[in-house]
Amino acid sequence: MQRHLLTLAQLTQDELLELLETSLEYKKLRARGLRRTGELNGKSVAMIFEKPSTRTRASFTVAVYEMGGLPVAYSREELQIGRGEPPRDTARVLSRYHDAIAARVFKHESLEELASFSSIPVINLLSDKDHPLQALADYMTILEKFGHISGIKISFIGDGRDNVLFSLAIAGLKLGAEVRVASPPQYFPDINELKRLAGEAYGSIKLYINPFEAVEGVDVIYTDVFVSMGQEHERDSRIKVFLPQYKVSRELIKAAGRPVLFMHCLPAHRGEEVDDEVLEGKESVVFEQAENRLHTAKAVLKFFVAER
Ligand code: CP
Ligand code: NVA
């Protein structure tokens, strides 16, 4: 059966660890100057973007290219999708030309429809619900920094319904991390759904209202924007709820009471979810996370596209 990557819930713990190990291998190879690895020779990958992207688009494009394939990016406006052609027709057409479809969409259901009708792998480049490729780069970064993931305590501050948190939580449950979420109660994630989706839960997830309690003794403090793409019309009400309490400030970093890493998927809104001095500070590993998007993209392409 054709495998797709719409969410990390679809992978076992062993598969996740294999992807992370492969990512580390690709990083080592590239550090030694070995870029042209050739696994996608003769293949092409369609990338559909309904929303803007810097890291995902650049890293995925370079990953396909360095692996010998042809990356083709289509914005929503350039496709007939922008004029109402349904994902199901787009999937059946692109399946006849390309070897994989990667897509960043407004609605997660669009990805599910693409996958149902595609005869080639469909890879989620971010939806309103889930951002699996980001979590892979996040856990690769954690693995590099700590040497292990199991038992690592991660505190996510801000929007508990955020797509980046969704993936971070599911992978964290599978990989044995302790994920704490500090959020206003009306933005709490559905932890029963997260646990059900993760299936095998070696880690844990816990909810907090007070961010200062949530960061006590943690290894990692993570945040993302308060207003995600597609939520711009909710901006005023969201900012009112999240600020000033849920901003990651130097005081919050200190409240961990121990050395801590600061993580953010980027792009960041300085002065909103994080202060500039934290983003630019010594705890911040945000650009290493961004770099790791390239190596993890290669691992995903190897696993889902080259070896299929
Ligand atoms: N982190 C992330 O997905 O960034 P982009 O939106 O720039 O792709
Ligand atoms: N939560 C953000 C992530 C961007 C990478 C958004 O969806 O806009």
Side-chain angles (χ1 to χ4, degrees):
M1 199 168 108
Q2 183 58 63
R3 281 195 81 177
H4 305 288
L5 180 56
L6 304 195
T7 168
L8 295 178
Q10 295 165 320
L11 299 178
T12 64
Q13 185 193 56
D14 282 349
E15 287 172 335
L16 279 174
L17 291 171
E18 182 188 329
L19 283 172
L20 296 177
E21 288 303 326
T22 308
S23 307
L24 292 168
E25 285 300 316
Y26 274 119
K27 189 166 187 171
K28 274 191 221 143
L29 284 180
R30 203 167 190 270
R32 297 209 317 258
L34 220 169
R35 295 187 175 200
R36 306 305 300 267
T37 47
E39 298 88 338
L40 296 179
N41 280 343
K43 297 195 169 179
S44 70
V45 177
M47 296 183 291
I48 301 174
F49 286 95
E50 290 189 348
K51 307 180 193 179
S53 168
T54 297
R55 280 140 289 268
T56 306
R57 181 166 173 168
S59 60
F60 218 75
T61 303
V62 173
V64 174
Y65 167 74
E66 291 191 357
M67 294 171 80
L70 173 73
V72 188
Y74 303 98
S75 71
R76 180 185 159 84
E77 294 70 35
E78 288 164 331
L79 290 172
Q80 297 289 8
I81 276 189
R83 295 179 55 244
E85 186 171 30
R88 61 185 61 197
D89 293 355
T90 309
R92 282 175 287 186
V93 172
L94 294 182
S95 290
R96 288 167 189 256
Y97 313 136
H98 290 292
D99 297 283
I101 300 171
R104 169 168 286 201
V105 298
F106 281 101
K107 290 195 189 125
H108 193 78
E109 294 74 31
S110 303
L111 280 173
E112 288 171 343
E113 188 175 326
L114 280 172
S116 301
F117 286 86
S118 170
S119 57
I120 57 177
V122 173
I123 296 166
N124 182 356
L125 297 182
L126 179 145
S127 69
D128 54 342
K129 187 171 177 187
D130 208 324
H131 195 4
L133 298 194
Q134 182 63 49
L136 283 175
D138 298 339
Y139 284 107
M140 175 182 178
T141 311
I142 287 172
L143 190 54
E144 287 181 304
K145 295 290 173 189
F146 296 98
H148 63 100
I149 295 168
S150 185
I152 293 294
K153 297 186 179 74
I154 306 166
S155 189
F156 182 96
I157 312 296
D159 178 3
R161 306 240 172 103
D162 182 76
N163 44 9
V164 167
L165 168 63
F166 187 89
S167 319
L168 193 75
I170 286 188
L173 283 167
K174 283 183 180 274
L175 294 169
E178 178 182 324
V179 179
R180 303 181 187 176
V181 182
S183 176
Q186 63 271 43
Y187 286 96
F188 274 169
D190 181 345
I191 55 175
N192 291 328
E193 188 203 8
L194 289 168
K195 284 185 193 159
R196 182 180 58 76
L197 289 171
E200 25 170 25
Y202 304 99
S204 62
I205 181 160
K206 209 171 158 198
L207 303 179
Y208 296 76
I209 295 174
N210 184 345
F212 284 85
E213 274 173 29
V215 300
E216 267 174 38
V218 296
D219 304 291
V220 174
I221 296 179
Y222 200 124
T223 191
D224 186 14
V225 292
F226 297 143
V227 186
S228 284
M229 291 179 279
Q231 298 172 340
E232 291 78 5
H233 59 288
E234 298 173 19
R235 181 172 174 81
D236 290 353
S237 58
R238 285 177 164 267
I239 294 298
K240 233 182 260 165
V241 175
F242 290 112
L243 279 180
Q245 206 189 347
Y246 293 93
K247 185 200 286 185
V248 179
S249 58
R250 179 124 303 278
E251 291 66 49
L252 191 66
I253 295 280
K254 278 198 203 126
R258 56 189 304 231
V260 70
L261 295 185
F262 171 73
M263 298 180 78
H264 191 310
C265 58
L266 302 179
H269 288 78
R270 289 169 167 82
E272 281 188 18
E273 75 276 6
V274 59
D275 276 333
D276 181 67
E277 58 175 348
V278 172
L279 195 75
E280 300 288 354
K282 64 178 191 326
E283 294 85 4
S284 175
V285 292
V286 299
F287 296 107
E288 286 162 89
Q289 282 175 266
E291 177 187 332
N292 286 341
R293 294 294 308 274
L294 172 62
H295 313 299
T296 46
K298 287 183 177 177
V300 164
L301 286 160
K302 181 170 192 272
F303 189 93
F304 285 92
V305 186
E307 291 175 355
R308 80 186 179 96

